[in-house]
């Protein structure tokens, strides 16, 4: 295990909300000890004492129910250096020391190339690793160039393009439920599955993240990264093992099978929108364009939706809908697998599998809704929507089987950091996979840039813009 971690961008929101609590969780679980040292680097003119005070306050705010001793141990392991992360001399001072170091780029994507170039000039000890947050690059050309820079710095196995979604227990359960249950895998194809909705709707608005979000938007922030990863887990062929090679090969296969979107497809199968003023729960939310730090002229979307099809034997004829929005009326974070309706119902006089009470006027058929298997991501759970007989003979009623998952032993970022320190890249994104993800959405970015898809609007606290193509 590497016992040195350097965080570039150590005073940002990512460090405060996720990395510091993750380090405390690792300490509390006994995965790290006194040997681990963490050097934070950022542009603030602080010293180590001030940084430790800031970190202690953030751990109190975001550390949840972690033991106080774990947080104190992390704080005492922190050092701080003021640094320009694009300056080789500053970066060299940050990573200096004995033995390999894991360097975490908790930075805006636009700074990745300059920071990687500075690391290359500064030099890293043998056995070091580098961690890059999402999104990886800003477009396909940028991802390719960034991959080239990284290949000159470190071997591919030492590069961790992380997506914390992959470390969530419920996300991994998408694959686990498929492969560990014989009843599911024979049905896991387009013959039985009509469509899959991959949704990350949240009531959270901008919450002070304009500096990052207004330059990225929902499509790059959520769809290009997280939701395409979920698509891979839903649609991939069963891997031989869950090792880094087998798992990542099968994910790349899925992305390569995504049917390229034509300009016509983008116009009719994608949506974008941003929120207007509204009320969510007990708080008033201003319009996105009026949020502090937002440049309305950028036309940044806070809602994005894309419908994809896969050109593969297993999935020909199944639609995959990826959707994410901010400032909505309810949190809905799930993968919903919609099975096709049954071909015939023998209840009453022709009860219909598509709904309705059947023909003949008796109404005994009821309504047989197509089955839906839901992987609930936050909160963690699993639900299966079925149809059965109710209190009256021949009356069909909805049934639901639900299960709640045990909380995972480590937060998602804790699992990712542990993999980085231990050198296990299975849950990181390989370079070719990062490029394929951009290839999928390049036509969308180009068409949106040209204004071919209007920027709709929706009130904060609503369900989002109304659908218009299905």
């Amino acid at each position: 295990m590497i016992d040195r971690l350097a965080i570039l961008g150590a005073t940002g929101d990512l460090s405060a909300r996720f990395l510091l609590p993750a380090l405390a969780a690792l300490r509390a679980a006994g995965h790290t000890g006194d040997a681990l040292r963490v050097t934070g680097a950022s542009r603030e003119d602080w010293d180590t004492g001030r940084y430790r005070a800031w970190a202690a306050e953030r751990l109190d705010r975001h550390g949840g129910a972690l033991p106080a001793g774990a947080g104190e141990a992390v704080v005492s392991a922190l050092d701080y250096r003021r640094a320009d992360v694009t300056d080789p001399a500053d970066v060299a001072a940050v990573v200096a020391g004995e033995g390999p170091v894991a360097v975490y780029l908790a930075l805006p994507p636009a700074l990745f190339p300059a920071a990687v170039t500075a690391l290359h000039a500064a030099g890293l000890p043998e056995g070091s690793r580098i961690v890059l947050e999402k999104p990886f690059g800003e477009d396909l050309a940028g991802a390719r160039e960034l991959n080239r820079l990284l290949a000159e710095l470190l071997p591919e196995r030492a590069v961790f393009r992380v997506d914390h979604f992959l470390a969530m227990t419920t996300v991994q359960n998408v694959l686990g439920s498929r492969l560990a249950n014989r009843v599911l895998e024979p049905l896991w194809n387009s013959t039985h599955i009509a469509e899959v909705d991959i949704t990350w709707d949240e009531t959270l608005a901008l919450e002070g993240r304009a500096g990052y979000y207004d330059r990225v938007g929902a499509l790059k922030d959520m769809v290009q990264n997280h939701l395409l990863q979920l698509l891979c887990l839903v649609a991939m062929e069963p891997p031989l093992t869950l090792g880094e090679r087998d798992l990542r090969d099968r994910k790349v296969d899925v992305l390569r099978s995504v049917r390229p979107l034509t300009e016509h497809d983008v116009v009719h199968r994608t949506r974008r929108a941003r929120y207007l003023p509204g009320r969510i729960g007990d708080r008033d939310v201003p319009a996105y364009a009026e949020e502090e730090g937002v440049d309305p002229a950028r036309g940044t979307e806070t809602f994005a939706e894309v419908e994809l099809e896969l050109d593969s034997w297993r999935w020909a004829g199944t639609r995959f809908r990826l959707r994410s929005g901010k400032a909505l009326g309810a949190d809905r974070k799930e993968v919903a697998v919609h099975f096709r309706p049954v071909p015939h119902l023998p209840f009453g006089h022709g009860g219909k599998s598509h709904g309705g009470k059947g023909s003949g006027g008796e109404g005994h058929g009821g309504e047989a809704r197509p089955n839906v298997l839901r992987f609930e991501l936050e909160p963690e759970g699993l639900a299966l929507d079925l149809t059965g007989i109710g209190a009256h003979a021949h009356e069909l009623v909805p049934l639901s089987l639900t299960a709640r998952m045990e909380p995972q032993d480590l937060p998602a970022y804790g699992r990712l950091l542990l993999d980085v320190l231990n050198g296990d890249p299975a849950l990181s994104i390989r370079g070719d996979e990062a490029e394929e993800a951009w290839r999928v959405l390049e036509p969308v970015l180009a068409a949106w840039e040209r204004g071919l898809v209007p920027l709709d609007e929706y009130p904060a606290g609503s369900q989002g813009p109304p659908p218009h193509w299905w």
Side-chain angles (χ1 to χ4, degrees), residues 194-197 307-309 315 317-321 469-470:
E195 58 189 31
V196 178
D197 283 317
E307 183 183 294
L308 301 173
E309 293 182 89
W315 293 115
T318 298
R319 295 183 299 177
F320 294 85
R321 192 173 301 120
W469 85 80
W470 61 75

Side-chain angles (χ1 to χ4, degrees), residues 25 42 45 55 91 137 148 165 180 186 188 228 257 264 267 279 342-343:
S42 194
D45 190 14
V91 171
R148 185 189 67 78
F165 268 45
W188 212 258
L228 282 179
S257 75
H264 178 272
V267 170
R279 188 170 181 82
V342 296

Side-chain angles (χ1 to χ4, degrees), residues 169-186:
T169 300
T170 44
V171 169
Q172 294 182 29
N173 195 47
V174 173
L175 193 58
S177 295
R178 280 185 55 190
L179 303 182
N181 295 285
R182 191 179 185 92
V183 69
L184 286 181
E185 184 57 28

Side-chain angles (χ1 to χ4, degrees), residues 10-11 15 20 40 46-56 78-80:
T11 59
S15 295
L20 289 172
W46 293 357
D47 59 16
T48 293
R50 182 169 180 185
Y51 182 60
R52 287 181 176 181
W54 176 88
L78 297 174
D79 293 305
Y80 181 81

